[in-house]
Amino acid sequence: MVKKRKNRGRHKGRGKKGRSGYISCSNCGARIPRDKAIRRVVWRSYVDPQLSQELKKQGAIILKQPLVKYYCVSCAIHFGVVRIGMSAERKAREG
Ligand SMILES: [Zn+2]
């Protein structure tokens, strides 16, 4: 079989994993398999960034909350989360 991608565009394990659940894209709401989505964790604090800088100077500890975002492939490419590799690189990787 001719393969376009080694992992078929997903992060599914070989063998026993089977089906994976679905999640919706954080941006467009598309329903995509969890292992196909591009996951990014953004650490956000509830404090205003300018204020937090001043507080840090005074030695305060500011708590940050992880904000997990899942993007579908088209959104991830559109917003520059991931990039399409050079054609030469792609060929080298697939071997
Ligand atoms: Zn999307």
Side-chain angles (χ1 to χ4, degrees), residues 6 9 21 54 60 65 67 72-73 75 83-85 88 90 94-95:
K6 197 177 176 184
E54 283 178 32
Q65 296 288 320
L67 188 70
C72 69
V73 174
C75 283
R83 283 192 189 154
I84 300 164
R90 285 205 298 273
E94 279 165 26

Side-chain angles (χ1 to χ4, degrees), residues 1 3 5 8 14-15 20 23 28-30 33 42 47 49 51 56 58-59 62 64 79 83 85 89:
M1 196 182 96
K3 278 185 195 169
R5 285 171 243 284
R8 295 177 182 166
R14 245 172 261 164
S20 69
I23 49 122
C28 70
V42 186
V47 188
L51 183 68
K56 265 185 191 175
Q58 292 171 11
I62 294 141
K64 284 182 174 180
F79 290 100
R83 283 192 189 154
E89 280 176 35

Side-chain angles (χ1 to χ4, degrees), residues 5 9 11 36-40 69-86 93:
R5 285 171 243 284
H11 302 288
K36 188 172 185 176
I38 288 113
R39 183 192 145 118
R40 285 289 175 274
K69 289 204 165 189
Y70 290 96
Y71 294 102
C72 69
V73 174
S74 29
C75 283
I77 287 167
H78 181 76
F79 290 100
V81 181
V82 288
R83 283 192 189 154
I84 300 164
M86 298 292 285
R93 204 194 303 147

Side-chain angles (χ1 to χ4, degrees), residues 6 9-10 16-19 21 31 37 44 55 60 66 73 81 91:
K6 197 177 176 184
R10 297 176 70 167
K16 289 183 183 173
K17 201 182 173 193
R19 283 178 69 90
R31 190 168 173 264
R44 279 272 179 91
L55 287 170
V73 174
V81 181
K91 273 169 196 167

